[in-house]
């Protein structure tokens, strides 16, 4: 395999939130891990874009994290300004969990605006957070993105099997992490998702591997967990994930990496 080809995939990681973030960007390239570095605010966009410029394995997503919704009133203006510079968007989405329910109305206004802006362009790939909000997220995807060349990757999806099937019918991909795969319901969820829509992620540094912060290289273990659940050989699973990534990103492949 040529050295420019990835070996593994971390399609949702907050590289800029590690104390050694510059090293994290470099390691993705050294270890050949195709990484989607998501951001939580457009204020982080310029620095991330600069770091990714010298990290061929890293794509950077322009994001407004639902947990931060409304904290920076000017962030939507900034988001709109930077959007033409990237085909990757994330982290965006909705969180109706108890800790964030009080901002849910504000989150919906922001996420719907983001989805509408993406629908007006083409070939965008959105890494979407959907905690206790799968139905609202899928309704917005169906209303604005289905049938367009934009694609949604559901990050750490926790909806039902029926919602997973609905998402797949709407063209969504799913990035799964190690913590998700340890849940007793993991096998049922994974089996409800078409294999060609699966990707791996860490959501580092918000997750742990043992007692340390998870890093992109930990997708190696996640890929093994996934292979076990699917009953597939590890090498076949790695190849399948690389093909899935290629087919997701092939759309409008004439676009620049970022
Ligand atoms: Mn995240």
């Amino acid at each position: 395999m040529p050295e420019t080809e990835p070996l593994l995939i971390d399609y949702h990681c907050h590289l800029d939130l590690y104390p050694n973030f510059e090293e994290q960007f470099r390691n993705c390239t050294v270890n050949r891990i195709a990484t989607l570095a998501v951001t939580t605010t457009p204020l982080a966009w310029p620095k991330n874009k600069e770091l990714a410029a010298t990290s061929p394995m890293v794509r950077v997503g322009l994001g407004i994290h639902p947990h931060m919704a409304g904290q920076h009133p000017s962030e939507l203006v900034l988001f709109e300004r930077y959007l033409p510079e990237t085909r990757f968007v994330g982290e965006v989405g909705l969180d109706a969990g108890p800790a964030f329910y009080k901002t849910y109305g504000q989150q919906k206004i922001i996420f719907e605006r983001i989805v509408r802006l993406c629908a007006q362009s083409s070939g965008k790939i959105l890494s979407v957070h959907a905690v206790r909000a799968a139905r609202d997220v899928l309704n917005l995807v169906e209303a604005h993105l289905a049938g367009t060349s934009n694609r949604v990757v559901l990050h750490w999806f926790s909806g039902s099997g029926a919602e997973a099937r609905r998402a797949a019918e709407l063209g969504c991909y799913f990035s799964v992490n190690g913590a998700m795969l340890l849940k007793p319901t993991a096998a049922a969820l994974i089996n409800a998702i078409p294999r060609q829509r699966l990707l791996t992620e860490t959501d580092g540094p918000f997750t742990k591997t043992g007692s340390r912060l998870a890093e992109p290289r930990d997708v190696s273990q996640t890929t093994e967990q996934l292979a076990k659940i699917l009953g597939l050989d590890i090498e076949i699973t790695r190849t399948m994930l690389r093909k899935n990534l290629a087919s997701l990103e092939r759309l409008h492949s004439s676009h620049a990496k970022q």
Side-chain angles (χ1 to χ4, degrees), residues 81 92 112-113 117 143 207 229:
R81 181 191 303 164
V92 295
E112 178 161 7
R113 179 77 186 134
L117 286 168
T207 54
I229 290 175

Side-chain angles (χ1 to χ4, degrees), residues 109-188:
I109 291 168
I110 293 173
F111 183 58
E112 178 161 7
R113 179 77 186 134
I114 288 170
V115 166
R116 284 176 180 272
L117 286 168
C118 291
Q120 287 163 16
S121 51
S122 61
K124 301 290 190 205
I125 296 175
L126 293 76
S127 182
V128 175
H129 175 113
V131 171
R132 298 204 191 171
R135 197 174 61 173
D136 282 348
V137 163
L138 295 179
N139 285 346
L140 285 168
V141 170
E142 184 166 29
H144 303 290
L145 297 174
T148 72
S149 62
N150 304 288
R151 288 289 174 270
V152 166
V153 181
L154 293 164
H155 139 70
W156 203 329
F157 184 74
S158 60
S160 65
E163 285 167 331
R165 281 185 286 275
R166 180 181 172 210
E169 280 165 20
L170 291 171
C172 296
Y173 284 68
F174 300 76
S175 54
V176 303
N177 60 54
M180 267 174 89
L181 296 182
L182 290 176
K183 287 188 183 173
T185 51

Side-chain angles (χ1 to χ4, degrees), residues 23 41 84 87 135 142:
E23 192 181 343
T41 161
R87 66 178 299 214
R135 197 174 61 173
E142 184 166 29

Side-chain angles (χ1 to χ4, degrees), residues 12-14 38 40 65 91 127 129 155-156 201 203-204 206:
H12 185 109
C13 186
H14 300 261
V38 292
T40 58
H65 196 293
E91 178 166 3
S127 182
H129 175 113
H155 139 70
W156 203 329
E201 64 159 53
D203 200 20
F206 293 113

Side-chain angles (χ1 to χ4, degrees), residues 63-85:
I64 300 180
H65 196 293
H67 294 178
M68 316 266 288
Q71 283 183 18
H72 304 285
S74 63
E75 61 190 355
L76 258 178
V77 177
L78 271 184
F79 182 93
E80 196 165 348
R81 181 191 303 164
Y82 293 136
L83 187 62
E85 296 179 23

